[in-house]
Amino acid sequence: MKKLILPLFLISGLSFGQSNLRPAIDQKATEIESKVIEWRRDIHQNPELGNQEFRTAKKIADHLRSLGIEVTEKVAVTGVVGYLKGGKPGPTVALRADMDALPVTERVDLPFKSTVTTTYNGQETGVMHACGHDSHVAILMGVAEILASMKDELEGDVKFIFQPAEEAINEPGVTTWGAKQMVEEGVMEDVDAIFGLHISAQTEVGTIGYRPGPAQAAVDNLEIIVHGTQAHGASPWSGVDPIVTASQIVTGLQTILSRSVNITQNPAVVTIGAIHGGIRQNIIPEKVEMIGTIRTFGDEQQALVHKRITEIATNIAESAGARAEVNIQKLYPSTVNDPELTAKMVPTLEAAAGKDHIRVNPPVTGAEDFSFYQREKPGLFIGLGGMKKGGDPTKTPSHHTPDFYLDESGFILGLRVMSYFVVDYIGMK
C-alpha cells in the first residue's frame, strides 16, 4: 500500500511529510466542529458593519492569543492579523476571512437571529450577516486552532488575515475597502501565496467550486450627465432634449456587450440603475443624470468597456446637439486566480472534498476585494457549499437578502480545505 500512496504524493508535487498531516487535520476538524458552529452563531447574533467590527475583532484576537499565535490588532481600522511560526523554515502562507455584516433586517426564524439595528444612509435598518462572513471568521478561527496544534511539524509559517469592510465603507466623499487598506498597510509583504473561501447559499454542502484565471468581476461605478438646452415641452425643437438623448445612450451602451466584447471568453455587464431628470410634464430639462454599474473580467476587458462607454455616450450626445460627461470610478479589480497555483492545488481540493464534489465554476459577475491581495502575490479563492443536501438553488434565498440561510454542516469541509492548503503548499516548496 505504501508503494502506491507515495507516487501519488510525488505526482502532485507534495512532500510526503506535510501531506501526511491530513489525517491529523481531519481528526482535529471533527473535534472542533461544534465549537466552530458555536462561534459562528455568536458572531451571527452580534453582527457589525464594516470598520465597526470591534466585538468580532476582540473575539478573534483573544482566541488567537490563547493558541500562542502572535497577534496584531487595529490593522486597517479593525482588522486582526495572526502570525503562526512553524517549527521549520519555509514559505509563508496567508489565509483570509472577512468580518463585516450588511445593513439588512433578518427574517429567518433562528434562535440566534440578529436583532441588531442601526442607522445607515439616514435610514433605520437591521444588521445581518447576510453574506456568510460570520462563517468565514468562525472557519478561519478553527483553522488557526488546527494548525497551531501542529505548529512544530509545519515547514513554514501561516498568516491569518481577518479583514474588515469587504462590503466597502461608503461615507460622504469616502469609498474604501478593507483588503485594499490592509495591503497598503503591508500585510502581504512577507507572504508567498494567499488562499480564501466564500460560502455559497446556492451550492450544496460538501461541494467546492473554483475557476482558474478571472473568476469574479471587476466592479466600477458609472455616472453619465447629459447636458441639453431647456425648453417648453410643447416646442421641443427650440431646445436640446437630454431625456431623449439619455434614452439613446442607454440603448447604445448595450451594443458594447453584443458587439464589442468577446463573450466567448468572458461576459461583461453595463447596467444603468437610475435616471434622474426633469421636474414637470411640460418642461424639457437642462440635464439628465444616470448612474450604473460596470462588471468586467481582467484589465484588458475593463479598459475596452470603459473606452466604449465614453465613446458611445459622448458621440450620441454630440449627434443630438447635447454634451455627455462620463465619470467612471474604479472599485474592485477582477478576482483572478493564479493559473499555476490553481493547477497545483486541484489535488488538494480533491483530497478535501472528493473528485465528485469539485466543480469548475462559470465566471461570477459579483465582485470580491480578495482581488487586491491577488494583485500582490499568487492567490486562490474558492467557493464552499452552504446549501442543504438536495436543496434547489433556484428556490434558495440568495446572498444579501433577509432570508439568507446557511447549512452549518458544510463548515467542516471549510476547516479541512483551508488547513490542507497550508500543509500542501508548504510541502511543495
Side-chain angles (χ1 to χ4, degrees), residues 225-269:
I225 304 173
V226 181
H227 300 273
T229 302
Q230 191 159 318
H232 196 296
S235 53
W237 53 83
S238 64
V240 176
D241 193 337
I243 293 179
V244 171
T245 305
S247 301
Q248 293 172 333
I249 290 172
V250 172
T251 301
L253 292 177
Q254 299 314 305
T255 65
I256 298 172
L257 314 181
S258 62
R259 291 296 179 269
S260 298
V261 172
N262 185 347
I263 58 173
T264 65
Q265 296 177 351
N266 277 312
V269 174

Side-chain angles (χ1 to χ4, degrees), residues 94-311:
L95 304 176
R96 175 270 204 166
D98 38 11
M99 306 188 297
D100 54 326
L102 286 159
V104 175
T105 302
E106 185 163 13
R107 281 200 300 244
V108 186
D109 187 16
L110 296 169
F112 52 93
K113 173 182 178 179
S114 170
T115 58
V116 176
T117 60
T118 192
T119 301
Y120 186 84
N121 281 345
Q123 300 181 49
E124 291 296 317
T125 181
V127 181
M128 176 189 176
H129 272 290
C131 202
H133 296 187
D134 52 345
S135 63
H136 304 166
V137 171
I139 287 170
L140 192 55
M141 288 172 65
V143 172
E145 184 161 334
I146 291 170
L147 295 177
S149 71
M150 55 185 66
K151 66 179 180 180
D152 292 342
E153 301 171 76
L154 294 180
E155 298 174 0
D157 305 329
V158 189
K159 180 175 278 190
F160 302 95
I161 299 174
F162 292 87
Q163 175 210 308
E166 190 277 328
E167 301 288 355
I169 299 299
N170 291 296
E171 299 172 349
V174 178
T175 303
T176 187
W177 299 271
K180 184 175 184 291
Q181 191 169 348
M182 294 199 94
V183 168
E184 290 171 351
E185 294 187 18
V187 298
M188 294 297 291
E189 290 177 359
D190 58 348
V191 170
D192 292 280
I194 185 167
F195 299 93
L197 61 76
H198 202 299
I199 201 155
S200 170
Q202 279 83 36
T203 302
E204 192 172 77
V205 294
T207 303
I208 291 175
Y210 75 100
R211 182 176 184 80
Q216 292 186 254
V219 56
D220 304 310
N221 284 343
L222 172 62
E223 178 191 56
I224 301 175
I225 304 173
V226 181
H227 300 273
T229 302
Q230 191 159 318
H232 196 296
S235 53
W237 53 83
S238 64
V240 176
D241 193 337
I243 293 179
V244 171
T245 305
S247 301
Q248 293 172 333
I249 290 172
V250 172
T251 301
L253 292 177
Q254 299 314 305
T255 65
I256 298 172
L257 314 181
S258 62
R259 291 296 179 269
S260 298
V261 172
N262 185 347
I263 58 173
T264 65
Q265 296 177 351
N266 277 312
V269 174
V270 179
T271 294
I272 298 298
I275 301 178
H276 302 286
I279 193 170
R280 183 179 165 91
Q281 297 94 326
N282 62 349
I283 299 176
I284 292 172
E286 194 169 55
K287 69 178 181 179
V288 169
E289 299 178 5
M290 299 183 284
I291 56 173
T293 187
I294 307 166
R295 306 296 169 113
T296 53
F297 291 84
D299 293 347
E300 290 185 9
Q301 189 191 66
Q302 183 186 48
L304 169 65
V305 171
H306 288 190
K307 176 174 176 287
R308 293 297 293 133
I309 288 172
T310 301
E311 291 172 344

Side-chain angles (χ1 to χ4, degrees), residues 1-72:
M1 179 65 86
K2 289 182 179 178
K3 291 181 179 179
L4 292 174
I5 292 176
L6 184 55
L8 289 177
F9 287 133
L10 293 175
I11 289 171
S12 64
L14 306 178
S15 71
F16 181 82
Q18 294 295 279
S19 296
N20 199 39
L21 293 174
R22 289 176 180 170
I25 289 171
D26 293 346
Q27 180 180 343
K28 187 68 175 178
T30 301
E31 292 173 358
I32 68 170
E33 180 185 15
S34 60
K35 187 189 298 187
V36 170
I37 291 172
E38 182 182 342
W39 289 332
R40 182 259 170 164
R41 292 183 178 185
D42 176 69
I43 296 167
H44 187 91
Q45 199 166 21
N46 297 277
E48 297 166 301
L49 296 178
N51 284 0
Q52 299 175 25
E53 306 98 336
F54 303 108
R55 182 184 186 276
T56 306
K58 184 178 185 305
K59 186 180 186 73
I60 293 165
D62 288 348
H63 175 64
L64 296 182
R65 286 195 179 95
S66 74
L67 301 172
I69 294 174
E70 179 186 331
V71 175
T72 304

